[in-house]
Structure formats: C-alpha cells, structure tokens
C-alpha cells in the first residue's frame, strides 16, 4: 500500500493506493493506478508529477486519512504535516520513503487509470516494515469504486 499525492491547477489531492508496481528496470519505471471515482484522479489528470509515499504500520494514520476520507469533503493536507517537494509536489511527513515521478503515460484500465512514472527524486525517512493490504483492509474507502 502507498499514498499518492498530486498537485495541479492550484489544487492538492492524495489517496491510498493498493494497485502499484515497478513496471520496468531499464529505464526505471513505476505505475500507480488511481480510481476514476476519486478526487486524486481528477487532480492527477492534469499533474505532470506524482509523489508516491511508502508508509509503515505505525503511520497507519496516514493510510486512514488518505484512504478513508475523500478530498471532496475534507482538506487532508490541513490534517497532517507535509512540505513542497521536487517539481512542486506534496511530500507527506512521516513516510518511510518517497519518490517523485514524472508522468510519462496514462493507461485506462477500466475503473482505474495507470500513471506510468519515471522517478526524478526520492528520499528515505523511517525504516521499518511497510504497510500491507492486511494492515489496511478495515479502512472503509472514502469513495466507492463507482
């Protein structure tokens, strides 16, 4: 599980993502899949860069905030620490690690759109086991799939 943030058109958005993977070694590429139903996808459509955050179970609060709340109703960034990162992205405080990727392609996969990213910057914060689906299965999604 990871938290993806997007900034575009003066708006910030972020969501918990369960569908994400490295998709190429040379050149390095990563893909994150965002639900068409949520606000993060709407902001990410215009974003040139996305930030991907890995979190540990002791920061489950980030997963709950970005997975269990909708940006349509709440300013998630007002409820947690963050800072501006490379290319104007929003980096969340307390992430175990993060990277910023330039959006190279968007792939329609049905109810989710894959954003293929080329990493342009990264950092580490806190070591530890990463958050798994089993750690977040009880977080009720802020938005239904449709």
């Amino acid at each position: 599980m990871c938290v993806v943030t997007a900034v575009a058109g003066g708006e910030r958005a972020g969501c918990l993502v369960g569908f994400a993977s490295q998709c190429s070694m040379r050149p390095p590429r990563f893909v994150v899949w965002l639900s068409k139903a949520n606000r993060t996808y709407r902001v990410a459509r215009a974003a040139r860069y996305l930030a991907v955050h890995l979190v540990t179970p002791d920061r489950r609060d980030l997963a709950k905030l970005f997975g269990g709340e909708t940006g349509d109703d709440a300013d998630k960034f007002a409820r947690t620490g963050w800072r501006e990162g490379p290319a104007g992205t929003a980096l969340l405080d307390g992430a175990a690690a993060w990277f910023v990727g330039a959006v190279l392609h968007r792939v329609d996969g049905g109810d989710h759109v894959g954003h293929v990213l080329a990493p342009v910057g990264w950092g580490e914060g806190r070591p530890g086991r990463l958050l798994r689906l089993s750690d977040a299965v009880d977080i009720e999604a802020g938005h239904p799939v449709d």
Side-chain angles (χ1 to χ4, degrees):
M1 303 295 293
C2 59
V3 175
V4 174
T5 59
V7 177
E11 295 185 77
R12 286 184 305 272
C15 65
L16 183 64
V17 170
F19 305 142
S21 176
Q22 180 178 342
C23 58
S24 174
M25 291 172 60
R26 289 193 194 113
R29 298 291 184 260
F30 196 86
V31 63
V32 293
W33 294 85
L34 302 178
S35 171
K36 292 177 183 178
N38 73 34
R39 183 172 179 275
T40 303
Y41 166 70
R42 293 191 302 273
V43 174
R45 284 187 310 192
R48 295 180 52 214
Y49 299 88
L50 299 178
V52 179
H53 305 80
L54 301 178
V55 296
T56 53
D58 67 320
R59 287 308 315 262
R60 189 175 178 280
D61 61 307
L62 287 174
K64 190 170 181 180
L65 174 62
F66 284 90
E69 301 281 339
T70 172
D72 292 330
D73 301 329
D75 180 356
K76 300 176 195 180
F77 294 89
R79 296 171 50 193
T80 193
W82 68 278
R83 66 193 181 284
E84 186 173 314
T89 56
L91 298 180
L92 302 176
D93 294 344
W98 58 267
F99 78 89
V100 170
V103 178
L104 299 180
H105 310 285
R106 291 178 176 88
V107 180
D108 191 324
D111 58 13
H112 283 65
V113 172
H115 295 68
V116 178
L117 307 176
V120 298
W122 49 87
E124 295 180 37
R126 305 157 30 103
R129 179 178 73 79
L130 298 179
L131 192 76
R132 300 175 185 151
L133 176 60
S134 60
D135 299 317
V137 73
D138 64 333
I139 298 173
E140 190 171 328
H143 250 294
V145 174
D146 50 13

